[in-house]
Amino acid sequence: MANTLLMPKATAVWLVDNTALSFEQIAQFCGLHPLEVKAIADGESAQGIKGMDPIMTGQLTRDEIARAEKDPNQRLKLSDPKVRVPESKRKGPRYTPLSKRQDRPNAILWLVRNHPELKDAQISRLVGTTKSTIEQIRERKHWNSANLQPMDPVTLGLASQIDLDMEVNRASRGREQAQPVGDTLLPAALTERLVPAPEKPKDEDAELDANAVFAKLSALKSKNEDTDDE
């Protein structure tokens, strides 16, 4: 990481106000033009900028300032930072070891067959391949299609189970839930219609039949009595 001065214009304001350094020295240290430093000293520039002490930030020492003040030809040297922040590396495509690259088409075939919901970009992230290769395997146009065997990329060491699950869950969002296949429970309203009415006990039927017989006998007896009276 290159060692650069923090807030150069604010540092120049502080050096103009608190040191006897020349405009050229301040301009060289802060990366400004000498005329711009002169405008700061005259109050024509950087009026709203608050000066920043480079000593407090650890980018300059008092001894270095004193040394440069004694000799206008001396150049200020930026102090080495006490803490170095590493540069962030640009995230590139997943690196696949040479020993495992031959298994990559088998892993792609496994993903295409077992997880058709995955997009080409997701498969590319998982196994580190290109969209053209995925398309060739999907359409059986790959040069080695006849010999490919679907193999789990996690087993092959091309992807982790966590990454695979994350991509599958991401691809499944917003998709309609699959309808259940096979025998399922019927709704309660439908089952109530299919249940036959409970049969009446035989004793109750027998009691009803006896009452009917006695009623007929009584009717016949009354009819006979009417006939005798005549």
Side-chain angles (χ1 to χ4, degrees), residues 4 14 28 39 43-44 58 63 74 79 88 112 115 120 141-142 159 166 198 208 217 226:
T4 58
W14 189 90
Q28 178 272 328
E44 298 175 358
D63 293 339
Q74 292 291 334
S79 300
S88 58
V112 168
H115 295 285
D120 291 353
K141 295 180 179 179
H142 191 266
M166 182 180 64
L208 292 175
L217 291 174
D226 293 340

Side-chain angles (χ1 to χ4, degrees), residues 180-211:
V181 179
D183 297 335
T184 58
L185 294 176
L186 295 174
L190 184 59
T191 55
E192 290 177 357
R193 299 176 185 175
L194 299 178
V195 176
E199 297 181 357
K200 296 181 179 179
K202 293 183 179 180
D203 294 341
E204 185 177 348
D205 293 341
E207 183 179 354
L208 292 175
D209 293 342
N211 292 335

Side-chain angles (χ1 to χ4, degrees), residues 21-227:
L21 296 170
S22 65
F23 295 158
E24 288 76 10
Q25 288 174 310
I26 297 175
Q28 178 272 328
F29 181 72
C30 298
L32 303 174
H33 194 276
L35 294 178
E36 190 174 1
V37 177
K38 183 178 184 302
I40 293 174
D42 295 338
E44 298 175 358
S45 177
Q47 295 180 359
I49 297 178
K50 183 180 179 180
M52 188 180 71
D53 186 356
I55 299 175
M56 294 293 295
T57 59
Q59 294 193 299
L60 201 59
T61 62
R62 294 187 181 276
D63 293 339
E64 181 66 16
I65 293 175
R67 182 185 66 82
E69 286 177 333
K70 294 178 181 178
D71 186 0
N73 295 323
Q74 292 291 334
R75 300 295 183 95
L76 291 171
K77 293 182 181 180
L78 193 64
S79 300
D80 293 331
K82 296 180 180 179
V83 178
R84 289 186 178 272
V85 179
E87 292 181 351
S88 58
K89 295 182 179 179
R90 182 180 178 183
K91 189 175 182 180
R94 180 188 296 273
Y95 173 75
T96 305
L98 292 174
S99 58
K100 296 182 179 180
R101 291 182 185 178
Q102 59 184 0
D103 295 329
R104 199 155 45 187
N106 296 327
I108 296 172
L109 181 60
W110 187 92
L111 291 171
V112 168
R113 288 188 178 180
N114 292 276
H115 295 285
E117 71 276 11
L118 289 176
K119 298 179 181 178
D120 291 353
Q122 293 178 299
I123 298 176
S124 179
R125 283 195 298 267
L126 284 171
V127 298
T129 185
T130 61
K131 291 185 178 181
S132 60
T133 303
I134 299 172
E135 185 177 354
Q136 291 174 3
I137 294 175
R138 193 188 301 273
E139 298 178 359
R140 297 182 176 275
K141 295 180 179 179
H142 191 266
W143 65 272
N144 197 28
S145 295
N147 299 321
L148 294 181
Q149 297 293 332
M151 300 182 69
D152 190 345
V154 177
T155 304
L156 294 174
L158 294 173
S160 66
Q161 188 65 51
I162 295 176
D163 292 340
L164 177 59
D165 294 341
M166 182 180 64
E167 295 293 350
V168 171
N169 292 334
R170 184 180 300 173
S172 300
R173 292 176 187 171
R175 293 172 63 92
E176 295 183 359
Q177 297 293 332
Q179 296 296 329
V181 179
D183 297 335
T184 58
L185 294 176
L186 295 174
L190 184 59
T191 55
E192 290 177 357
R193 299 176 185 175
L194 299 178
V195 176
E199 297 181 357
K200 296 181 179 179
K202 293 183 179 180
D203 294 341
E204 185 177 348
D205 293 341
E207 183 179 354
L208 292 175
D209 293 342
N211 292 335
V213 171
F214 286 129
K216 290 181 179 181
L217 291 174
S218 297
L220 291 174
K221 184 177 180 181
S222 300
K223 185 176 182 181
N224 292 332
E225 289 177 354
D226 293 340
T227 304

